[in-house]
Amino acid sequence: MQTYVRGLRGAFPFRHVTYYCSSFPGRLGKAETVTSYPEAWRTHYLAEHYERTDPVLRRGRNSFLPVDWSRIEDLSPGERRFLEASYDFGLGRHGITVAVRGPHRETAFVSVNAGTPPSSWWPDMHLGIADLTYFGFLLHQHISQLVGAGRRAPAAAPLLAPRERDVLTWAARGKTAWETAQILSISETTVVSYLRSGTAKLGAATKPQAVARAICENLVTL
């Protein structure tokens, strides 16, 4: 699971990616956390029981919309101390958290974090709210299957043509269509065509969604 999260962090311009679910079906009372945060912060978070005062989790539980960290207001003294501590451990000051409501009434939270202001990283990454929500759903689905909480067997991975896999691999590594064309010695138009067909086969609506699904299904090598 850690490898998957690190791969997603490399595919998109995030400093960190974190997944948290307080309880899976059949695993009541046992939380599942997967994160790229430094080990020192993870240890400190658990030791201080920050899940009780984390302002992102508290607001995410009561919202069906993504939580933009920079717009959180009316912080309590405990929440302010939590944020200051996170900055001391090197976490970025800006991020987005989406709540994923699972099929068994479980709620998971997927957060992406960056060290630069939203005006620098959010528009430039070409990743909209719909893409991020889809990304969170895929991550929850993937982890649910890994921990055995899903009741259904995972569906077979889509069969991609070799070139579709190639262009998605380079997209996952952050390359543009033009750069991928230079690497593979094909035209940019051909790269775009393979991206479109691969995206359709993966049941995705956008390139970021296709990349997230391809990583989830182990269809690309990062």
Side-chain angles (χ1 to χ4, degrees):
M1 288 187 287
Q2 289 290 157
T3 301
Y4 178 55
V5 167
R6 285 195 297 269
L8 289 169
R9 183 183 61 173
F12 300 104
F14 309 143
R15 176 182 290 183
H16 294 293
V17 178
T18 297
Y19 169 92
Y20 173 79
C21 186
S22 60
S23 182
F24 277 105
R27 305 174 80 229
L28 296 178
K30 185 175 181 181
E32 191 70 46
T33 303
V34 185
T35 182
S36 62
Y37 286 147
E39 182 62 36
W41 170 245
R42 284 182 277 175
T43 301
H44 185 69
Y45 188 103
L46 295 174
E48 297 294 326
H49 298 285
Y50 277 147
E51 72 278 1
R52 301 172 184 171
T53 55
D54 187 331
V56 172
L57 292 183
R58 294 181 69 178
R59 284 157 180 78
R61 291 188 181 101
N62 299 315
S63 176
F64 283 93
L65 298 175
V67 177
D68 185 337
W69 300 5
S70 65
R71 297 183 179 179
I72 295 178
E73 300 177 344
D74 302 322
L75 293 169
S76 68
E79 290 174 332
R80 291 185 185 279
R81 287 193 294 271
F82 165 82
L83 290 175
E84 290 301 325
S86 71
Y87 304 152
D88 291 341
F89 277 84
L91 274 65
R93 292 176 178 264
H94 303 286
I96 299 286
T97 296
V98 294
V100 181
R101 268 74 184 187
H104 311 297
R105 297 184 178 180
E106 77 277 16
T107 300
F109 300 92
V110 178
S111 298
V112 296
N113 172 254
T116 55
S119 59
S120 299
W121 69 281
W122 186 249
D124 291 346
M125 63 193 267
H126 305 295
L127 181 65
I129 294 298
D131 292 322
L132 183 58
T133 302
Y134 180 81
F135 164 78
F137 167 76
L138 281 181
L139 184 56
H140 179 60
Q141 183 182 60
H142 181 73
I143 293 177
S144 295
Q145 292 170 355
L146 287 178
V147 302
R151 296 180 182 178
R152 297 180 180 178
L159 182 62
L160 297 178
R163 276 305 193 204
E164 292 169 341
R165 190 186 297 260
D166 289 341
V167 298
L168 282 168
T169 294
W170 287 110
R173 295 176 184 176
K175 302 299 183 182
T176 65
W178 183 86
E179 290 171 328
T180 299
Q182 301 306 302
I183 293 169
L184 298 178
S185 298
I186 57 179
S187 72
E188 184 176 359
T189 301
T190 301
V191 170
V192 171
S193 177
Y194 281 127
L195 282 172
R196 287 175 177 169
S197 60
T199 298
K201 286 183 180 180
L202 290 168
T206 65
K207 186 174 77 170
Q209 290 181 9
V211 168
R213 177 86 193 276
I215 294 172
C216 179
E217 299 287 356
N218 294 317
L219 297 174
V220 299
T221 302
L222 298 175

